[in-house]
Amino acid sequence: MAEKIVTFEELDREKRLARARDAERLRSGEITPQALQEENSIFPKDAVITFDFIEYAKRTYLSK
């Protein structure tokens, strides 16, 4: 089965349509800015994201 190829133009059109729908939802009061931000976020609202810079630096620069 062949995979469908998506063009940049198609991706751009979908993004513009999604933004227009979001703008209309905000204008109509259907959703709050905070709820929209959460809806569009790649991380859940209760996610805790940590970054151990020292460990990253050790792995990146001292692992040779």
Side-chain angles (χ1 to χ4, degrees):
M1 182 173 171
E3 292 184 27
K4 182 179 186 235
I5 297 174
V6 180
T7 66
F8 173 78
E9 288 79 13
E10 290 171 318
L11 292 173
D12 188 51
R13 182 176 59 248
E14 286 299 316
K15 184 175 182 178
R16 289 174 186 268
L17 287 171
R19 285 191 176 191
R21 284 191 299 269
D22 288 346
E24 181 54 37
R25 291 170 65 204
L26 284 169
R27 266 193 298 279
S28 70
E30 178 183 335
I31 193 167
T32 65
Q34 295 82 5
L36 182 61
Q37 180 76 29
E38 184 180 333
E39 187 178 285
N40 290 332
S41 175
I42 61 172
F43 300 109
K45 180 180 173 182
D46 57 350
V48 177
I49 301 165
T50 60
F51 182 77
D52 187 342
F53 181 75
I54 301 299
E55 200 55 43
Y56 168 78
K58 285 179 186 176
R59 282 195 316 268
T60 303
Y61 299 107
L62 302 176
S63 64
K64 294 180 181 184

